[in-house]
Amino acid sequence: MILSAHDIDDGFITARIRTTNVMYLSRGVVSSHAFGPPQRIAIDQLWVWSGQPWGGLADGTSIADKN
């Protein structure tokens, strides 16, 4: 949720982030959660993924395996 684009020319926005795997959400594996607190974020860092290419977590596990 973008709260401010005041610094967009400098490459930043102020936003509240919520990361949800839409596939897991649609299958009922996880529930929707609230947005995080407001934070100033570099636009080029918004889509940095540290997990596995197949969607698993960085430690090699998967949320789907926990149910």
Side-chain angles (χ1 to χ4, degrees):
M1 173 189 314
I2 297 175
L3 303 174
S4 172
H6 179 75
D7 295 327
I8 200 159
D9 289 339
D10 296 326
F12 293 90
I13 60 169
T14 301
R16 294 178 62 196
I17 302 296
R18 171 174 62 189
T19 303
T20 302
N21 183 313
V22 180
M23 291 178 63
Y24 290 170
L25 184 63
S26 69
R27 301 282 185 192
V29 176
V30 297
S31 58
S32 182
H33 56 277
F35 286 96
Q39 55 185 308
R40 186 174 186 252
I41 304 166
I43 294 168
D44 64 356
Q45 294 298 306
L46 284 174
W47 306 116
V48 173
W49 173 251
S50 61
Q52 301 297 318
W54 48 268
L57 303 174
D59 65 2
T61 63
S62 171
I63 293 172
D65 293 338
K66 295 179 180 170
N67 288 328

